[in-house]
Amino acid sequence: GQQVMQIPQYQHVQEGEDFTTYCNSSTTLSNIQWYKQRPGGHPVFLIQLVKSGEVKKQKRLTFQFGEAKKNSSLHITATQTTDVGTYFCAGPGGNKLVFGAGTILRVKS
Amino acid sequence: KAGVTQTPRYLIKTRGQQVTLSCSPISGHRSVSWYQQTPGQGLQFLFEYFSETQRNKGNFPGRFSGRQFSNSRSEMNVSTLELGDSALYLCASSLGGPGGTEAFFGQGTRLTVV
């Protein structure tokens, strides 16, 4: 079945440093979604990318969808302590969303 | 509008018992998906319901079952609980189905099996 791989599994950065998480799908995706889960919380939708090569920005967050629509990345510029949490990518697979394992981000202040 | 509501928030059960979890989706959403989240396994898909029909099922044993009512509220049931069933159970609702549009998650039910 469809698989969504996400790396790294865990990243610990100094406040102010940049952070990137990568997502790769075993199949071409019609779209890719990103979610953030704060510690003790539930996943919250961040964005959806649909077009090949699409780039979207949300303040310090930059999301990219690969040309082949099989990979995606989330880049955070100048991390802040409010960025801590787990970032998940997810792609549609039939009548379900297939999630990557997530990248846990910790920020040292 | 009200978000996705899951009840109860916390639950402690003994091995061998059964449990029923409830999820009320956002008004107007007809798709409800259930996920199991554990520290080492991420978000594992259990099943998805749309208009009272199960459209997709993950790789979980038959002890895990669910249903959806005509008002789109959904329940999941786990019978003969095992220690390994301890997890956060999340439900997510969406307008037309998962993957096509944004999924809204509830706060989850934290199940502990002792």
Side-chain angles (χ1 to χ4, degrees):
Chain A
Q2 180 193 4
Q3 291 187 324
V4 176
M5 313 297 288
Q6 198 173 346
I7 57 169
Q9 185 178 2
Y10 181 85
Q11 188 145 14
H12 201 168
V13 301
Q14 190 71 40
E15 188 175 20
E17 291 182 339
D18 292 355
F19 160 78
T20 305
T21 174
Y22 300 90
C23 184
N24 285 285
S25 170
S26 58
T27 60
T28 301
L29 300 170
S30 59
N31 70 78
I32 193 153
Q33 300 178 13
W34 286 91
Y35 292 79
K36 176 184 178 181
Q37 184 174 22
R38 295 181 186 275
H42 57 279
V44 175
F45 176 85
L46 292 177
I47 207 161
Q48 181 182 55
L49 304 172
V50 178
K51 299 177 185 175
S52 169
E54 188 170 13
V55 178
K56 286 189 176 179
K57 293 191 175 186
Q58 289 180 350
K59 297 183 181 178
R60 295 177 294 102
L61 278 61
T62 302
F63 303 84
Q64 287 189 303
F65 200 9
E67 295 290 340
K69 302 183 75 173
K70 295 181 71 174
N71 61 289
S72 181
S73 65
L74 157 59
H75 179 83
I76 302 178
T77 303
T79 54
Q80 300 175 357
T81 55
T82 52
D83 295 325
V84 299
T86 303
Y87 292 85
F88 294 96
C89 61
N95 293 313
K96 63 181 181 183
L97 262 181
V98 179
F99 282 83
T103 296
I104 300 171
L105 172 63
R106 292 288 178 258
V107 179
K108 292 180 288 188
S109 59
Chain B
K1 57 184 175 181
V4 178
T5 304
Q6 287 188 248
T7 56
R9 290 289 309 281
Y10 302 93
L11 210 47
I12 300 176
K13 289 287 188 178
T14 305
R15 271 184 303 175
Q17 287 187 311
Q18 75 163 18
V19 67
T20 299
L21 312 181
S22 178
C23 173
S24 293
I26 289 172
S27 177
H29 285 193
R30 295 164 67 188
S31 171
V32 174
S33 299
W34 288 89
Y35 295 86
Q36 181 194 66
Q37 186 174 35
T38 54
Q41 299 297 318
L43 284 158
Q44 299 297 312
F45 174 77
L46 281 154
F47 24 66
E48 188 257 353
Y49 287 88
F50 184 88
S51 294
E52 302 179 66
T53 300
Q54 185 184 87
R55 296 197 298 185
N56 212 332
K57 191 177 191 306
N59 296 324
F60 279 81
R63 300 185 296 106
F64 291 81
S65 63
R67 58 179 175 169
Q68 187 179 33
F69 301 94
S70 58
N71 62 357
S72 292
R73 189 178 71 85
S74 178
E75 288 181 347
M76 69 162 279
N77 184 277
V78 188
S79 62
T80 320
L81 284 165
E82 300 176 359
L83 294 179
D85 296 333
S86 295
L88 179 66
Y89 290 87
L90 292 159
C91 81
S93 78
S94 58
L95 209 51
T101 55
E102 173 183 355
F104 294 82
F105 283 84
Q107 292 186 303
T109 295
R110 173 79 57 187
L111 172 65
T112 302
V113 182
V114 296

